[in-house]
Amino acid sequence: MTTDNSNVLIKVDNLCKSFDDVEVLKGINAEIDKGDVMVVIGASGSGKSTFLRCLNLLEEPTSGSIYFEGTDITDASVDINVHRQKMGMVFQQFNLFPHMTVLRNMTLGPTRLLRQSREEAEANAMKLLERVGLADRANAYPSQLSGGQKQRIAIVRALAMNPDVMLFDEPTSALDPEMVGEVLEVMKQLARDGMTMVVVTHEMGFAREVGTKIVFVDEGVIVEQNAPEEFFSNPKSPRLREFLSKVL
Ligand SMILES: Nc1ncnc2c1ncn2[C@@H]1O[C@H](COP(=O)(O)OP(=O)(O)O)[C@@H](O)[C@H]1O
Ligand SMILES: [Mg+2]
């Protein structure tokens, strides 16, 4: 099955996910257009990470469909690796390979999966490192970097695969406060450059400033979704009002 609307990058149709007999996602519907920055907020345990991980099938949905670029990637006949390459993911815990230099971390995927030559992959990696001000760290190992540097590397490593969408799961939550800004700045620049992004975060300033759609997840359902201005200044559901009163 395919969808026709060419502006829709990801369409989530009645997504449900259970772990054993615990129902974590209870029918999520969402549309992410090209260029959207969808910000997902909600309390701990509400299902935000599970939702994000279902988008690229790191978790297998129990039922429902996920259309990515028109293809239902939950269809068993689909080669998920082809589609997953187009979805960059950045986690709270960086996930860089500790025994590899920054440059090798960045060229591994492009040389192995995109079959770029080492020269091509390294040239591209250096350009990306320059973009985030870390070209001088190309030969460093992750243990020699600050948390903020590691996360900026994790972002450009994902970008080196030329993804069509970037998925972020609380990318600043593990950082010391003074390093949050440098990572958010990279993400803001990415958004300004037109990257489609889905971002789970507690950074409400970021959500307001660059979000195009804000989604509030509570107990495995999307309780409210709106453009940032309306979402923050005129929340409708009592549960969202209560949540915002705690985090704003
Ligand atoms: N692999 C798993 N096995 C069992 N339960 C899980 C697993 N992953 C998440 N859960 C449960 O699903 C619920 C939602 O988790 P999660 O999506 O991580 O929430 P959030 O990211 O909003 O904090 C939690 O109750 C969590 O314990
Ligand atoms: Mg989470």
Side-chain angles (χ1 to χ4, degrees):
M1 279 246 306
T2 58
T3 52
D4 293 324
N5 186 342
S6 59
N7 208 35
V8 178
L9 190 69
I10 303 176
K11 182 171 158 60
V12 179
D13 190 11
N14 204 18
L15 170 65
C16 297
K17 174 65 181 176
S18 299
F19 293 105
D20 298 320
D21 52 0
V22 182
E23 205 182 8
V24 171
L25 300 181
K26 305 168 185 170
I28 300 258
N29 296 293
E31 248 178 41
I32 299 146
D33 292 333
K34 287 175 191 160
D36 260 343
V37 177
M38 176 179 275
V39 178
V40 180
I41 69 172
S44 176
S46 57
K48 304 179 302 295
S49 293
T50 304
F51 168 62
L52 207 63
R53 293 165 61 82
C54 280
L55 290 183
N56 64 0
L57 302 197
L58 282 181
E59 297 289 355
E60 191 187 343
T62 306
S63 65
S65 293
I66 295 164
Y67 298 91
F68 177 60
E69 299 180 328
T71 303
D72 182 357
I73 57 173
T74 63
D75 190 317
S77 67
V78 163
D79 179 0
I80 182 58
N81 289 323
V82 171
H83 301 281
R84 200 180 273 142
Q85 279 177 20
K86 299 255 138 210
M87 302 190 227
M89 187 142 185
V90 175
F91 303 88
Q92 196 173 318
Q93 294 297 345
F94 325 128
N95 296 3
L96 298 172
F97 295 113
H99 58 292
M100 291 180 190
T101 63
V102 164
L103 197 61
R104 193 67 193 123
N105 263 283
M106 291 184 65
T107 55
L108 190 65
T111 51
R112 294 244 175 114
L113 301 171
L114 303 181
R115 302 190 181 270
Q116 288 176 10
S117 69
R118 196 168 176 133
E119 293 71 32
E120 186 186 359
E122 286 185 355
N124 188 36
M126 288 311 298
K127 266 190 227 152
L128 287 164
L129 285 171
E130 272 159 34
R131 246 168 77 181
V132 295
L134 289 172
D136 61 332
R137 308 305 283 153
N139 294 311
Y141 286 86
S143 63
Q144 301 170 306
L145 304 173
S146 71
Q149 288 175 332
K150 276 188 258 198
Q151 195 60 304
R152 284 186 282 154
I153 299 293
I155 292 171
V156 287
R157 179 179 62 171
L159 290 176
M161 292 293 290
N162 283 321
D164 290 339
V165 61
M166 287 282 287
L167 311 175
F168 293 87
D169 194 356
E170 298 200 32
T172 59
S173 294
L175 299 177
D176 291 333
E178 73 270 22
M179 292 170 187
V180 169
E182 68 196 56
V183 172
L184 291 180
E185 200 44 57
V186 169
M187 294 170 65
K188 285 177 196 171
Q189 190 57 52
L190 204 52
R192 281 187 221 114
D193 292 344
M195 177 59 77
T196 310
M197 298 161 61
V198 185
V199 185
V200 175
T201 187
H202 299 289
E203 295 291 333
M204 297 300 145
F206 173 87
R208 250 182 216 268
E209 190 181 332
V210 301
T212 58
K213 291 175 176 165
I214 318 296
V215 164
F216 174 56
V217 175
D218 194 37
E219 296 184 7
V221 294
I222 292 179
V223 171
E224 195 156 332
Q225 173 180 326
N226 226 322
E229 172 62 23
E230 184 70 5
F231 184 94
F232 288 108
S233 59
N234 191 16
K236 292 176 182 59
S237 79
R239 281 190 282 175
L240 175 56
R241 271 190 235 133
E242 194 200 340
F243 180 79
L244 289 178
S245 76
K246 287 180 193 151
V247 297
L248 287 180

